[in-house]
């Protein structure tokens, strides 16, 4: 399986990192070894001094497909949750400065926290999902998928031009504003439509 991630998909987050708004989805990938399952801690990696959380809506692919049309994309996923796209911001900045790839800053072991999945039903409005991340009990990020620059279905249409989707693949759809650093001992909890789906800490 693979994890396809979207960068700069909320205008307020692109702004806070002083990035231009994209005209096409910014895609990158994380390998299977990046996954940190529910309830597991992340051990602060030794190669960074500026580890950031990025809370994101995560979509689970339920059918294989390539060249998926946007109008059919909803048939290709069946579950959603929240995830954290952990980012070694200092390493990412260095890589960006040199025009190099981001993997060592974003795809390392444990960099993809995945919460508990909820089924997508006929009543799930993918363009109207609210979520939040709390750090040590304080809200640090508020998101709403109505603010996505590229909707879930348009991400699937775009990404499937390049990559075949397989059952079980995940999409990290991008983070809203409010990203920030974590320290050893911090606790992160994610709520999707008011339900707690994610709980992890840093050791
Ligand atoms: Mg992200």
């Amino acid at each position: 399986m693979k994890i396809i991630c979207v960068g700069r998909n909320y205008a307020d987050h692109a702004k806070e990192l002083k990035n231009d708004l994209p005209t096409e989805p910014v895609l990158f990938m994380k390998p299977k070894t990046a996954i940190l399952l529910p309830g597991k801690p992340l051990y602060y990696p030794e190669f960074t001094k500026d580890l950031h959380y990025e809370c994101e809506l995560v979509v689970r692919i339920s059918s294989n497909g390539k060249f998926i049309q946007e109008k059919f994309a909803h048939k290709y996923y069946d579950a959603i949750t929240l995830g954290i796209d952990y980012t070694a911001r200092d390493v990412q900045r260095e890589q960006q400065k040199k025009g190099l790839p981001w993997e060592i800053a974003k795809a390392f072991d444990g960099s993809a926290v995945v919460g508990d999945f909820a089924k997508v039903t006929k009543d799930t409005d993918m363009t109207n999902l609210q979520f939040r991340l709390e750090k040590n009990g304080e809200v640090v990020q508020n998101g709403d998928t109505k603010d996505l620059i590229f909707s879930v279905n348009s991400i699937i249409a775009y990404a499937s031009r390049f990559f075949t989707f397989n059952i079980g693949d995940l999409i990290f759809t991008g983070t809203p504003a409010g990203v920030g650093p974590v320290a050893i001992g911090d606790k992160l909890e994610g709520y999707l439509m008011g339900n707690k789906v994610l709980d992890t800490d840093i050791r």
Side-chain angles (χ1 to χ4, degrees), residues 150-161:
F150 300 102
S151 69
V152 170
N153 291 347
S154 73
I155 292 166
I156 289 172
Y158 180 81
S160 71
R161 289 165 51 192

Side-chain angles (χ1 to χ4, degrees), residues 6-60:
V6 187
R8 304 174 193 168
N9 205 12
Y10 288 85
D12 56 355
H13 169 65
K15 223 176 282 173
E16 76 178 341
L17 293 188
K18 301 188 171 61
N19 289 313
D20 294 334
L21 293 189
T23 51
E24 290 192 314
V26 176
L27 300 183
F28 61 96
M29 288 209 242
K30 299 191 189 227
K32 190 177 173 184
T33 44
I35 290 181
L36 196 69
L37 288 172
K40 293 274 193 265
L42 179 75
Y43 292 91
Y44 201 106
E46 84 294 346
F47 52 80
T48 176
K49 291 187 166 53
D50 195 21
L51 182 69
H52 277 205
Y53 57 79
E54 295 187 359
C55 183
E56 315 196 355
L57 179 79
V58 175
V59 176
R60 189 175 68 194

Side-chain angles (χ1 to χ4, degrees), residues 5-8 13 28 30 53-56 84-87 89 102 106 172-175 179:
C5 306
V6 187
R8 304 174 193 168
H13 169 65
F28 61 96
K30 299 191 189 227
Y53 57 79
E54 295 187 359
C55 183
E56 315 196 355
I84 295 175
D85 166 21
Y86 274 125
T87 304
R89 194 70 71 200
W102 295 354
K106 275 193 170 279
F172 275 58
T173 57
T175 198
V179 302

